[in-house]
Amino acid sequence: MSSLFPTYARWDLTLTEGKGAWVKDTNGKEYLDFISGIAVCSLGHQFEPVKNAVAAQLDKLWHVSNLFGIEQQEQAAALLTEHSFAEAVFFCNSGAEANEAAIKLARKHTGKGTIVTFHQSFHGRTFAAMAATGQEKVRTGFGEMLPSFEYLPYNHLDALDELEGDHYAAIMLEVIQGEGGVVPGSDEFLKKAGETCKRLGCLLIVDEVQTGIGRTGKLFAHEGKVTPDIVTSAKGLGNGFPVGAMLGSGELIPSFQPGSHGSTFGGNPLAMAAVQAVLKTILQPGFLETVKEKGAHFIRELKKETEELPSVLEIRGQGMMIGLEYDGPAAGVIAELRENGLLVLPAGENVIRLLPPINCTYEECRMAVSILKTVLEAHSKARI
C-alpha cells in the first residue's frame, strides 16, 4: 500500500531515466517522450547546459533567503526583462504560485476586486488559482470559492463587449488553452481582450505557464498579438527544476513593495542557475525560429498522414504545443500509443495533447507521426 495521498490517477508505468526526448521504464523499455513532464522538460531530459549550470551552483550556494541580495536572481530577471515587455520580475516555485502573485498584484494595484477568466481555462490548484480556473470539476468539493471571479466563453468577442462597470481588476487568459483542449485564442479575441482592459481600466494578465519559454516558437506566445500588464511563467522556465515567475510592467512596481508578497524558496540560486541556462539557450539566434518551423512541419505531417481518418476531427496548435481532436474518448488511444512507445497526454476528454521537447529532431517528430498513424488507423478499422 502506498504512503502517498492518491491525488493522481497514475498510469501503471514508472520511469527510471531519460535523455533528450527519450525515457526508459523499470523494465528497460524505451519511450519517445512527447509529454516532457507536461511541457516542463522543454529542452529534453538531462539537457547538458542546465545540468552543468545547476551542478556548478551546487558547489557554491543553495539557499540564503530573500533577505539578501541574490546575484543570480538579478541576472535571470535581466534576461527576462531585456527580451519582453516587462520591467520587473517576481520569482516563486510554480505556475500556480505565479498566478497567485498576479491575482494579488492586480487587486492591490487597481484597488478593485473582480477578475474575469474563461470557461475551460486552467490556472492552478491553489485556492485563488482554482477559483480563477474556468472548470467546475476543479472547484468541486472545496466549498465556497474565493469571491469575485467571473467566467466568460473563450474566443467570444461579444462576451467581452458586454462587460461593463468600474469594479474589474483584471482579465486573465491563456493565449492557448492547454488543459482546456489545446485551443488557440484568435488574434481578434486577444486584441479585443486588450482593448477591453483599456476600456474598463483594468489589467491584462496572460498565463503563459504552459505556452511560454519557447513552446510556441516565441519566448512568449502573446508576442505580436497583445501587450499584457502581467505575464506568469513556470514549467519550461527551469527545464525540470521547480521555478515560477511573474513578470510585470514598470507601472506596477510601486504596488509590490516590501511586505506585500514573498516566497521562502522563490528565486534561490539553484533555480536561477537553471533559468539562466534555459534562457541563454532559447535566446540564441535562430533557435526559436527553428522551433516554429519544426512545429509547423510536425503539424503538416500529422494532418497529411491522418486526413483520411474520420476519427480525427482537427489538428491544431502552435510550435510544439499540438492538439489532435478525436471523435470519442481519447483515453484508449493514449494507452495504446503508450504501449507502442509514444507518451502523450489528454487535454479534456477527446483531445490528444503533444508536448515534445522543443529541441527534438525532425526524425523524432517523424517517428511520433508514424506511431500515431498506426494506432489511429487501427482504432478506425476496429470501429467499422
Side-chain angles (χ1 to χ4, degrees):
M1 179 178 173
S2 174
S3 297
L4 298 169
F5 274 107
T7 53
Y8 304 101
R10 297 184 192 271
W11 296 334
D12 186 20
L13 178 63
T14 300
L15 303 176
T16 58
E17 57 184 287
K19 185 74 173 177
W22 295 87
V23 290
K24 191 179 291 187
D25 69 12
T26 49
N27 297 315
K29 181 177 178 178
E30 290 189 327
Y31 303 82
L32 188 55
D33 183 7
F34 274 32
I35 296 174
S36 304
I38 314 185
V40 169
C41 297
S42 290
L43 296 171
H45 299 279
Q46 290 197 60
F47 184 64
E48 289 295 328
V50 174
K51 182 178 177 181
N52 293 340
V54 174
Q57 189 60 46
L58 280 169
D59 289 331
K60 296 177 181 178
L61 193 63
W62 297 12
H63 176 80
V64 293
S65 154
N66 282 297
L67 293 172
F68 298 91
I70 299 175
E71 183 181 6
Q72 296 87 349
Q73 250 185 65
E74 294 286 355
Q75 293 165 347
L79 282 171
L80 286 168
T81 56
E82 182 182 347
H83 295 278
S84 74
F85 76 98
E87 294 180 62
V89 182
F90 172 82
F91 287 110
C92 50
N93 307 289
S94 69
E97 286 183 47
N99 284 334
E100 289 273 339
I103 290 165
K104 284 182 65 174
L105 178 55
R107 288 184 167 180
K108 190 169 189 295
H109 182 76
T110 64
K112 304 174 185 178
T114 302
I115 293 177
V116 174
T117 66
F118 295 88
H119 298 311
Q120 296 307 117
S121 62
F122 184 82
H123 299 292
R125 295 185 184 273
T126 58
F127 231 80
M130 177 173 61
T133 293
Q135 299 186 49
E136 185 62 35
K137 66 181 182 181
V138 174
R139 305 191 297 266
T140 299
F142 296 101
E144 186 178 351
M145 288 291 103
L146 185 70
S148 301
F149 283 90
E150 293 182 8
Y151 313 101
L152 299 181
Y154 189 71
N155 264 337
H156 284 233
L157 277 64
D158 291 346
L160 291 169
D161 282 332
E162 292 170 6
L163 291 175
E164 296 289 347
D166 60 0
H167 57 292
Y168 291 104
I171 294 175
M172 184 175 190
L173 58 79
E174 299 158 277
V175 179
I176 303 172
Q177 289 192 329
E179 301 293 328
V182 192
V183 180
S186 69
D187 289 352
E188 295 80 9
F189 171 71
L190 297 171
K191 180 181 177 183
K192 173 67 77 171
E195 292 171 349
T196 303
C197 287
K198 289 183 172 62
R199 176 171 63 82
L200 297 174
C202 69
L203 304 181
L204 178 62
I205 302 171
V206 177
D207 179 340
E208 294 247 23
V209 170
Q210 190 165 152
T211 55
I213 316 302
R215 173 58 53 185
T216 67
K218 297 180 179 180
L219 180 60
F220 292 110
H222 71 264
E223 293 171 11
K225 300 175 185 291
V226 67
T227 300
D229 299 287
I230 299 172
V231 160
T232 56
S233 179
K235 290 190 179 289
L237 185 61
N239 201 62
F241 205 98
V243 64
M246 181 195 69
L247 292 71
S249 62
E251 68 178 27
L252 304 179
I253 293 173
S255 297
F256 248 27
Q257 292 295 308
S260 58
H261 198 52
S263 172
T264 296
F265 298 105
N268 70 76
L270 292 174
M272 296 299 97
V275 168
Q276 288 187 68
V278 167
L279 292 174
K280 287 175 181 177
T281 297
I282 70 171
L283 291 171
Q284 289 175 5
F287 183 93
L288 290 172
E289 189 60 36
T290 298
V291 175
K292 192 184 305 180
E293 292 170 358
K294 195 182 304 173
H297 174 80
F298 191 13
I299 291 173
R300 281 196 305 272
E301 290 300 303
L302 271 175
K303 288 181 176 179
K304 183 177 77 174
E305 295 298 329
T306 62
E307 62 185 354
E308 295 183 2
L309 299 177
S311 59
V312 178
L313 302 181
E314 185 180 14
I315 294 169
R316 55 183 179 254
Q318 293 174 21
M320 289 299 192
M321 184 176 181
I322 300 165
L324 185 153
E325 187 172 354
Y326 190 65
D327 73 344
V333 178
I334 290 170
E336 286 196 34
L337 290 169
R338 198 157 60 241
E339 289 296 315
N340 282 269
L342 176 64
L343 301 181
V344 298
L345 281 172
E349 186 179 4
N350 300 334
V351 176
I352 297 168
R353 183 170 24 157
L354 301 151
L355 297 167
I358 62 175
N359 59 344
C360 70
T361 66
Y362 280 94
E363 174 63 15
E364 287 163 342
C365 290
R366 187 199 63 77
M367 293 174 67
V369 170
S370 177
I371 296 170
L372 277 159
K373 180 183 180 182
T374 298
V375 170
L376 288 166
E377 281 182 339
H379 264 256
S380 294
K381 290 176 182 177
R383 293 165 59 178
I384 295 175

